[in-house]
Amino acid sequence: MYKGGKKGMSYYKKMNLATKTMLAMVLGAIAGFIIGENAVKIQFIGTVWLNMIKMFLVPTVVCMLVRGISSMDSPKTLGRIGAKVIAFYLVTTVFAAIIGIVIGDVFKPGIGFEFQQSSDTVTEVASLPTIQDFVLSLFSENIFNSYSSADMLKVLVSSIIIGVGIVFMPEEHRIPVRNWFSSMSELIMSIIGISMKFAPIGVFCLMAAAMGTYGINFIGSMSKLLIVFYLGCVVHFVAVYMLFLWAMTGITPWEFFKKGFETFSMAISTCSSAATVPVNLKVAQENFGVSEAIAGFSIPLGSSMNQDGGAILGGVVMLFCAQAIGLELTFGQIFNIVILNTLVTSGSSGVPGGGIMRLMVVASAVGLPLEIIALIGGFYRLFDMGTTSMSVMGDLSATVVIDRWEKKRQAKEGAE
């Protein structure tokens, strides 16, 4: 027994972090199913681990984004890469919204769902912001207030401004400032590395609590909606991310998933694209050889701007709501859903659970019942695992593609 236990511990220590995390997810799910609701009592341990990462989230994004932007050798390079990153994220988000609607229309998850709208139920929802309101929301009156409240949109914009400012500085002043941000980035990554050593424990507790909370509801009334949503995620992952990645870089789907599994496991266990930023940066640079400049710019920006998983969910849920009340959506309504989904999901903060309000904004804008969205909210953790993992894998694929484009461009210029 002792020798077997010692051998088992030795084998466990040899596992990489991604394998340990996946094992913890499986064991946590089993433990939560067996223990039931009492498993929620250990959720605080997972929350403590998650907070260890979140407490350095703002400095991580600031330092990485500033370092990535300031590492670009000229404003022209910054503009070229920035335009590619933003265009890539917007295009894939539009595809995600369309796929969500198509999948929802084909499989009709809302058919058979019994819903009676109560006249007494009043659900408040934020109104869709105007263009002026959205632009104003990007710029902080006080960056320290934005940093302390972790308002990630304002943090991202202020970081971009700082990085661009450094690029335009004279070289003798630019280098010391850039080196300082680079050193701080290394310090933060070292701290995150320490936190990640406890990832299997944190993931085990979070998964056990989630399974203990929902139990057999996995096969309950929301099961069809869950299945259709995850089918949409698979279609988007293969038809958009993998096809484009393979065509542009030659990286096969299996190679991408294998090298990026650490990012995937972190996302599906934490349900926070923002908390996954440090791991995604590490995977992009170490496993795919992405340059610091591109990874440091693309991934932090993607954690807020690129929410393809949320766009897929928005499309599926809007069709689910319409089918539940027997409403046949017109082409104009479907077009509005696609546009609204793209606008609402792009620029979200990347925190767990934020998608419910985004769903309510879209549903309210097209006149669908908010009570159904509220019901879905009780199961949102199950959807959030898919929305987050899709979004962060999209960040990673975009970053790899753009890095390869830049390297091919540099090689061509060198040959000339």
Side-chain angles (χ1 to χ4, degrees):
M1 286 291 291
Y2 176 75
K3 288 183 179 180
K6 188 175 181 180
K7 185 177 181 181
M9 284 300 297
S10 176
Y11 179 73
Y12 178 79
K13 289 179 180 179
K14 292 179 181 178
M15 291 182 184
N16 58 34
L17 180 61
T19 305
K20 290 179 181 178
T21 304
M22 187 64 184
L23 179 62
M25 287 172 59
V26 174
L27 294 177
I30 294 172
F33 187 80
I34 294 173
I35 298 171
E37 293 183 0
N38 286 329
V40 177
K41 294 178 180 178
I42 64 171
Q43 183 174 356
F44 79 96
I45 300 174
T47 303
V48 168
W49 166 70
L50 192 55
N51 287 345
M52 287 173 63
I53 297 173
K54 285 184 175 181
M55 75 169 72
F56 293 100
L57 178 59
V58 170
T60 297
V61 171
V62 172
C63 292
M64 290 296 178
L65 195 52
V66 171
R67 181 173 72 169
I69 294 173
S70 62
S71 297
M72 298 181 192
D73 55 7
S74 69
K76 183 179 178 182
T77 302
L78 172 61
R80 183 180 67 251
I81 294 175
K84 288 179 180 178
V85 170
I86 293 171
F88 193 104
Y89 286 152
L90 287 176
V91 169
T92 59
T93 302
V94 170
F95 275 119
I98 293 172
I99 286 173
I101 287 175
V102 171
I103 291 290
D105 186 55
V106 170
F107 292 95
K108 304 187 184 306
I111 300 298
F113 180 79
E114 296 182 5
F115 170 71
Q116 293 182 346
Q117 189 166 0
S118 172
S119 59
D120 299 327
T121 302
V122 178
T123 306
E124 294 185 2
V125 60
S127 59
L128 191 68
T130 63
I131 294 176
Q132 294 93 328
D133 291 336
F134 176 73
V135 174
L136 284 173
S137 72
L138 300 177
F139 296 89
S140 174
E141 295 179 356
N142 186 319
I143 61 171
F144 297 105
N145 287 341
S146 300
Y147 290 178
S148 63
S149 62
D151 188 333
M152 295 311 297
L153 267 180
K154 292 185 173 71
V155 169
L156 280 164
V157 171
S158 63
S159 301
I160 291 170
I161 293 171
I162 293 170
V164 172
I166 294 173
V167 171
F168 280 90
M169 289 173 67
E171 186 174 356
E172 64 270 19
H173 298 304
R174 180 174 72 244
I175 293 174
V177 178
R178 185 175 64 191
N179 289 343
W180 184 86
F181 276 102
S182 181
S183 297
M184 290 302 297
S185 297
E186 293 299 326
L187 170 61
I188 291 168
M189 292 303 291
S190 177
I191 295 171
I192 294 297
I194 295 171
S195 302
M196 289 307 298
K197 293 184 183 295
F198 298 95
I201 298 172
V203 168
F204 176 89
C205 295
L206 290 174
M207 287 301 295
M211 180 61 78
T213 299
Y214 297 112
I216 69 170
N217 284 329
F218 268 115
I219 55 174
S221 60
M222 292 291 164
S223 60
K224 189 176 180 181
L225 180 59
L226 275 167
I227 292 170
V228 172
F229 163 63
Y230 278 100
L231 178 60
C233 289
V234 171
V235 170
H236 187 68
F237 184 79
V238 174
V240 178
Y241 293 156
M242 293 299 90
L243 185 61
F244 197 74
L245 189 70
W246 176 74
M248 294 295 105
T249 69
I251 296 175
T252 64
W254 171 245
E255 181 185 1
F256 178 74
F257 189 76
K258 183 180 179 181
K259 290 183 176 180
F261 184 76
E262 191 173 340
T263 291
F264 175 79
S265 62
M266 179 70 175
I268 204 170
S269 58
T270 64
C271 292
S272 172
S273 55
T276 312
V277 167
V279 175
N280 217 2
L281 284 165
K282 172 177 171 289
V283 169
Q285 294 178 50
E286 295 182 4
N287 295 1
F288 291 95
V290 175
S291 69
E292 276 189 12
I294 292 177
F297 176 72
S298 177
I299 288 176
L301 182 63
S303 71
S304 181
M305 180 180 180
N306 183 44
Q307 299 292 326
D308 288 1
I312 295 170
L313 179 62
V316 172
V317 167
M318 294 311 116
L319 267 292
F320 178 87
C321 292
Q323 292 158 6
I325 62 174
L327 174 65
E328 190 73 29
L329 293 174
T330 65
F331 176 80
Q333 289 174 311
I334 292 174
F335 181 79
N336 285 341
I337 290 173
V338 172
I339 299 301
L340 289 170
N341 255 335
T342 303
L343 292 175
V344 171
T345 55
S346 298
S348 59
S349 61
V351 296
I356 284 296
M357 286 308 296
R358 294 195 293 272
L359 291 174
M360 286 190 169
V361 167
V362 178
S364 177
V366 294
L368 294 172
L370 302 183
E371 290 89 343
I372 297 181
I373 308 296
L375 289 174
I376 292 171
F379 298 83
Y380 193 72
R381 173 80 184 191
L382 307 181
F383 294 102
D384 215 3
M385 292 188 290
T387 60
T388 305
S389 58
M390 279 301 302
S391 298
V392 300
M393 295 303 276
D395 299 345
L396 182 59
S397 66
T399 302
V400 173
V401 168
I402 292 166
D403 178 74
R404 298 299 189 271
W405 280 348
E406 282 299 303
K407 286 176 178 174
K408 287 179 181 178
R409 183 180 179 278
Q410 292 169 6
K412 185 177 180 181
E413 288 178 351
E416 294 174 352

